[in-house]
């Protein structure tokens, strides 16, 4: 029998599953994501609004659009996307994460289609989405090129995918790996493998020869004085890219 391809890295799934009940603790191991959320939410909202010609001042500006949050974790993006009007499907390889996400959404009265599944399974089901969020996931998978192409295939014609990840630079090694994990203790030690960080050039190279346009990088930087993240031209640590089918 032919081996079925999977992007899942079992060690990465186990690491995040062990923290599943802490996703919504703003002072816990996912505190950096809670601080990071406002800038990435703003980026998603503004770029999607321009792409689809939506007015963000409306109550639910993205009604009628289907969104996939792949590697959704506890739902930190899925919930606000639902409030903006998207029909959201949240997918994660960890059943524990999906359980935590579903319980929190139910308590908030939000209808989100959470699934313990994979990008490969969605492709087999011939699912397509107007917007795919591929946020802080690609650096945790077994085959990042295959994962990028698989998730891009989940984008419906005329849609878009937003990718967020960490750049593999000496600066990110010092700050995002050593500083965040061992000095500041922002995240548990071992959360990231710097060798699996991806440069913007590598993200672009994954799409070479494919019917895809790749824009970016759009940098994101942290201001230690204000404690806030903001969009920046500096993509040496965190950055986002926009992938659109041609």
């Amino acid at each position: 029998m032919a081996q079925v391809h999977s992007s899942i890295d079992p060690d990465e799934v186990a690491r995040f599953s062990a923290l599943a009940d802490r996703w919504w603790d703003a002072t816990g191991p996912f505190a950096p994501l809670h601080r990071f959320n406002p800038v990435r939410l703003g980026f998603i909202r503004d770029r999607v609004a321009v792409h689809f010609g939506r007015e963000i001042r409306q109550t639910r500006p993205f009604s009628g659009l289907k969104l996939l949050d792949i590697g959704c974790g506890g739902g930190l993006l899925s919930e606000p996307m639902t409030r903006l009007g998207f029909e959201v499907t949240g997918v994660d390889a960890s059943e524990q994460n999906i359980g935590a996400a579903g319980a929190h959404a139910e308590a908030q009265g939000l209808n989100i289609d959470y699934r313990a599944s994979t990008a490969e399974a969605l492709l087999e089901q011939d699912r397509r989405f107007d917007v795919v969020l591929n946020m802080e996931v690609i650096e945790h998978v077994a085959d990042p090129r295959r994962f990028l192409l698989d998730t891009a295939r989940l984008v419906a014609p005329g849609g878009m995918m937003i990718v967020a990840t960490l750049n593999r630079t000496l600066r990110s090694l010092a700050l995002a790996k050593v500083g965040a994990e061992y000095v500041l203790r922002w995240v548990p030690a071992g959360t990231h493998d710097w060798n699996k960080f991806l440069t913007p050039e590598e993200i672009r190279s994954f799409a070479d020869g494919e019917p895809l346009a790749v824009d970016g990088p759009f940098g994101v930087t942290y201001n230690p004085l204000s404690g806030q993240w903001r969009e920046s031209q500096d993509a040496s640590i965190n950055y986002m890219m926009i992938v659109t089918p041609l």
Side-chain angles (χ1 to χ4, degrees):
M1 179 180 294
Q3 184 176 5
V4 177
H5 168 76
S6 174
S7 61
I8 302 306
D9 183 327
D11 292 338
E12 295 281 7
V13 173
R15 182 177 297 114
F16 285 96
S17 294
L19 300 170
D21 62 344
R22 305 293 302 279
W23 276 102
W24 289 94
D25 179 359
T27 62
F30 296 107
L33 275 182
H34 284 269
R35 290 193 290 266
F36 195 36
N37 237 15
V39 69
R40 62 181 185 167
L41 287 172
F43 183 91
I44 295 165
R45 180 199 62 209
D46 293 347
R47 267 57 177 195
V48 174
V50 170
H51 187 85
F52 288 98
R54 298 298 177 99
E55 175 51 68
I56 62 175
R57 288 175 291 186
Q58 294 180 354
T59 303
R60 293 170 61 83
F62 303 118
S63 292
L65 295 178
K66 295 182 179 180
L67 179 144
L68 170 65
D69 185 6
I70 190 74
C72 64
L76 299 189
L77 283 174
S78 294
E79 290 198 8
M81 291 297 106
T82 300
R83 291 189 172 96
L84 286 171
F86 287 107
E87 178 186 330
V88 175
T89 298
V91 169
D92 199 280
S94 166
E95 292 187 5
Q96 291 89 336
N97 285 348
I98 290 298
H104 194 273
E106 184 177 359
Q108 303 300 310
L110 297 174
N111 181 22
I112 300 173
D113 181 11
Y114 280 123
R115 304 178 178 206
S117 189
T118 64
E120 296 88 354
L122 293 174
L123 284 172
E124 289 180 2
Q125 298 161 15
D126 203 28
R127 298 289 303 275
R128 296 294 183 272
F129 303 86
D130 300 295
V131 178
V132 173
L133 299 184
N134 188 335
M135 311 293 282
E136 291 83 39
V137 182
I138 197 168
E139 70 271 19
H140 296 289
V141 303
D143 185 342
R145 180 182 182 276
R146 180 67 177 266
F147 183 71
L148 182 89
L149 296 180
D150 281 349
T151 50
R153 288 169 59 200
L154 290 167
V155 180
M160 64 187 297
M161 177 167 71
I162 299 177
V163 181
T165 189
L166 289 150
N167 203 346
R168 193 176 65 257
T169 62
L170 290 177
R171 192 157 183 251
S172 71
L173 175 62
L175 298 178
K177 176 62 181 176
V178 177
E181 294 185 15
Y182 297 98
V183 179
L184 298 174
R185 304 284 183 176
W186 277 0
V187 293
T191 296
H192 291 107
D193 180 350
W194 179 80
N195 294 294
K196 295 177 73 173
F197 289 4
L198 295 160
T199 68
E201 292 74 24
E202 286 171 327
I203 296 289
R204 287 184 180 280
S205 73
F206 294 162
D208 284 350
E210 301 291 335
L212 299 170
V214 182
D215 295 322
F218 304 94
V220 182
T221 57
Y222 179 72
N223 185 330
L225 297 179
S226 67
Q228 295 180 335
W229 292 85
R230 63 178 178 84
E231 290 186 43
S232 168
Q233 294 185 353
D234 182 0
S236 63
I237 301 179
N238 294 82
Y239 67 94
M240 292 181 270
M241 308 279 277
I242 295 176
V243 180
T244 49
L246 297 175

